[in-house]
Amino acid sequence: MKKPRVLVADDKDTILGLFGRILSDKFDVVTATDGQRALALALNDDFDVVVSDIRMPGADGFTVLREIKGAKPEVEVVLMTAFSSVQKAVEAMKEGAYDYLAKPFDPDEALMTIERAAERKRLREQARNLSAVVGNISRFDRLVGKSSAMQQLFELLKRAAAGEATVLIAGESGTGKELAARAVHSQSPRRAGRFVAVNCGAIPESLIESELFGHVRGAFTGAIGDRRGLFEEADGGTLLLDEVGELPLPMQVKLTRALQEHAIRRVGESQERRVSVRVIAATNVDLKAAVASGRFREDLFYRLNVFPVRLPPLRERREDIPVLAAHFLERHRGRYGGSVEGFSPDALSALVRYEWPGNVRELENAVERALAVVDGPRIPIEALPEEIATHARPRLAPDLGRLTYREVVDIARDRVSREYLVALMREFEGSVTHAAERAGMERETLHRLLKRYGLRSDEFKPGR
Ligand SMILES: Nc1ncnc2c1ncn2[C@@H]1O[C@H](COP(=O)(O)OP(=O)(O)OP(=O)(O)O)[C@@H](O)[C@H]1O
Ligand SMILES: [Mg+2]
């Protein structure tokens, strides 16, 4: 992948040299020693991030910021300033700077800030190009995904579809196992036949055999007539045995036999009936482990596992998150007025960072929920469930031993958490003046924040 490009403007060679060392591994770095040169470079060449000192000969950092934002709003600008004039930098952020670095800064922090700025630029572009992305999404049948893991999966499913082998699909809940099974069926020569899905875990044990194989009248109490089972229903087509690990052992024996003989016997009948069914099994438990512990028959495992397919969890293929989010947006927005076009960069970044224990299903639900509450053109971070939204921003460390500029920024942006305020007030024993000073904000701001969270400074006074 191409390295993101960063322009660093400062009149001190030491600073330029420092940035060269910090950034050159991950970025393509260009330097400028005054504001005029920086502007000329920034406007005539393509950079992802511009890092500029505020006080410089030629043009100061504010001019650089305004000119760049006016001509190329997509470029992210980070300003540098002395710690004592942090207030200025906060002003700069109101004018569109992404962030600022207070000198002297920690090189790791500088690197992180610039990485975040570059990431935001990338996400912004992605958000802007959503419709384009949707236009050339990679898909296989109804499965969407552009990660190499999904591309490989699509190849595998294509091969599975071409043959007749039993397919065993493994994967966490919500990863698309059922969709994969449908894809194999609908791309296979059996596509004219039926696709029948059954959840083995959802049928009472006493009914499973008749459900799968059917029964004849009087076979058991309640069997008032002859009935075909799902194997016969799927004759000529495909049968998905979902949650196959839930099958009771005696049924596993019968299933093994049916797979071997390509024949079934209805309950209460001695005659065998031949069926032509392609079986696909799916599981979200580790069947090998189930075999080892005696809960799953080894012979059945090998019968099913002829063509193993693993669906990777979403957190292992984060490249798919933006395309899937766009896909679900496209798919569901019609139901909610249809005016939403994409996600805010913050929202997209939170979606990409979240762990997704519920995988694609959870993502689909989050997008649908957001569509239900949003009416603007972009889904803002606030429309996402809290557990996802918190992934958009770095967490504030309640440890106040060292207040980072980042915390100051968050405070300045009113993005401070309740825990942080509590820790701050505890440390300064309820003194708003000292706490505000330490946090680098006005006393009034701190008062306002405390009030917003329902905190009272005297609660933190010693002896209470
Ligand atoms: N790659 C994908 N592209 C598009 N939609 C997907 C994809 N993967 C999953 N989905 C959607 O996510 C939801 C869950 O998928 P599916 O039911 O196939 O998962 P599953 O693995 O069978 O889950 P479970 O184990 O809980 O039964 C469905 O609405 C499905 O349409
Ligand atoms: Mg399923």
Side-chain angles (χ1 to χ4, degrees):
M1 216 169 81
K2 218 175 110 247
K3 286 183 183 176
R5 303 192 71 212
V6 180
L7 171 67
V8 187
D10 198 302
D11 52 343
K12 292 201 190 60
D13 285 340
T14 48
I15 294 277
L16 296 178
L18 174 68
F19 273 107
R21 284 194 300 281
I22 306 174
L23 301 178
S24 57
D25 268 0
K26 298 192 172 162
F27 297 93
D28 184 6
V29 185
V30 175
T31 59
T33 49
D34 68 69
Q36 284 302 344
R37 251 194 84 63
L39 266 180
L41 280 165
L43 300 179
N44 293 304
D45 198 350
D46 286 329
F47 290 96
D48 297 288
V49 181
V50 173
V51 186
S52 169
D53 196 14
I54 289 187
R55 287 180 52 174
M56 274 182 309
D60 72 3
F62 278 97
T63 311
V64 170
L65 170 66
R66 278 178 215 131
E67 296 279 324
I68 291 177
K69 282 289 169 184
K72 296 185 162 187
E74 71 281 5
V75 176
E76 297 292 351
V77 179
V78 174
L79 291 184
M80 288 181 280
T81 179
F83 191 78
S84 55
S85 49
V86 150
Q87 199 51 44
K88 256 195 184 164
V90 174
E91 290 296 311
M93 286 190 317
K94 288 192 192 133
E95 293 201 32
Y98 170 71
D99 210 335
Y100 66 86
L101 293 170
K103 292 194 244 184
F105 47 78
D106 172 356
D108 287 342
E109 272 172 21
L111 175 61
M112 265 171 57
T113 301
I114 290 157
E115 278 177 335
R116 271 198 298 259
E119 171 74 358
R120 175 154 111 151
K121 159 104 188 315
R122 202 177 60 77
L123 288 171
R124 274 238 274 234
E125 254 160 24
Q126 229 168 42
R128 193 169 298 126
N129 295 335
L130 266 193
S131 39
V133 173
V134 176
N136 63 47
I137 258 176
S138 334
R139 51 167 81 222
F140 180 67
D141 200 58
R142 285 157 54 193
L143 285 164
V144 169
K146 63 173 218 168
S147 62
S148 61
M150 288 303 276
Q151 298 303 313
Q152 281 169 24
L153 179 85
F154 295 166
E155 283 309 310
L156 207 60
L157 294 177
K158 253 178 236 167
R159 279 201 278 131
E164 280 279 284
T166 307
V167 177
L168 178 60
I169 304 177
E172 290 178 14
S173 179
T175 46
K177 298 187 293 295
E178 178 155 355
L179 228 48
R182 286 181 187 275
V184 170
H185 170 73
S186 66
Q187 304 293 318
S188 78
R190 291 174 171 270
R191 71 178 71 88
R194 286 188 62 192
F195 176 84
V196 177
V198 56
N199 182 340
C200 302
I203 310 166
E205 202 170 323
S206 58
L207 294 180
I208 289 186
E209 184 177 355
S210 101
E211 193 68 23
L212 291 182
F213 298 155
H215 60 252
V216 293
R217 193 172 150 210
F220 49 86
T221 334
I224 45 172
D226 289 2
R227 196 176 155 229
R228 304 198 310 167
L230 296 175
F231 265 87
E232 283 178 76
E233 296 282 334
D235 201 0
T238 307
L239 176 63
L240 168 63
L241 300 172
D242 210 348
E243 296 190 28
V244 72
E246 300 289 320
L247 279 181
L249 285 163
M251 195 57 222
Q252 292 178 21
V253 178
K254 291 182 174 144
L255 177 60
T256 311
R257 200 180 137 68
L259 293 175
Q260 206 168 314
E261 308 290 328
H262 301 285
I264 51 101
R265 199 176 289 157
R266 290 184 182 180
V267 177
E269 193 176 58
S270 54
Q271 177 212 340
E272 288 215 316
R273 296 167 184 263
R274 292 198 62 78
V275 282
S276 166
V277 172
R278 201 249 178 106
V279 169
I280 299 180
T283 179
N284 56 20
V285 299
D286 181 357
L287 278 191
K288 267 210 181 104
V291 168
S293 65
R295 280 173 290 120
F296 203 82
R297 289 184 61 99
E298 191 169 25
D299 52 358
L300 178 57
F301 175 74
Y302 286 111
R303 284 237 161 249
L304 297 177
N305 201 38
V306 182
F307 203 113
V309 170
R310 174 180 176 267
L311 277 170
L314 192 53
R315 62 182 171 282
E316 284 179 17
R317 47 181 169 106
R318 292 181 193 272
E319 312 93 280
D320 288 337
I321 294 171
V323 280
L324 282 168
H327 168 69
F328 293 133
L329 185 112
E330 192 90 324
R331 182 147 146 218
H332 297 298
R333 71 173 155 201
R335 252 179 294 147
Y336 300 96
S339 64
V340 181
E341 286 160 18
F343 300 84
S344 74
D346 266 10
L348 201 57
S349 133
L351 292 175
V352 172
R353 284 183 203 213
Y354 179 58
E355 280 298 293
W356 300 109
N359 294 296
V360 185
R361 179 179 293 114
E362 189 182 5
L363 175 59
E364 181 166 10
N365 291 342
V367 172
E368 249 202 290
R369 264 182 56 176
L371 283 170
V373 299
V374 165
D375 54 8
R378 299 224 177 281
I379 292 176
I381 180 99
E382 293 79 18
L384 298 177
E386 180 59 25
E387 66 275 15
I388 298 171
T390 51
H391 286 258
R393 33 186 126 116
R395 284 179 184 283
L396 290 178
D399 170 18
L400 285 181
R402 185 165 145 272
L403 188 75
T404 64
Y405 76 93
R406 159 58 47 189
E407 288 167 330
V408 180
V409 170
D410 280 322
I411 291 161
R413 287 172 171 170
D414 283 7
R415 281 235 225 96
V416 53
S417 70
R418 191 173 195 281
E419 298 87 300
Y420 175 79
L421 281 182
V422 168
L424 187 71
M425 292 307 287
R426 281 213 189 106
E427 187 180 29
F428 294 95
E429 303 186 324
S431 161
V432 175
T433 309
H434 289 123
E437 190 180 321
R438 163 57 88 90
M441 65 176 116
E442 303 296 330
R443 293 183 61 221
E444 296 82 282
T445 311
L446 182 54
H447 271 301
R448 188 159 46 76
L449 287 171
L450 289 169
K451 197 160 157 207
R452 205 169 71 194
Y453 285 114
L455 296 170
R456 290 198 348 255
S457 57
D458 56 7
E459 284 170 42
F460 300 94
K461 296 251 147 64
R464 288 191 49 121

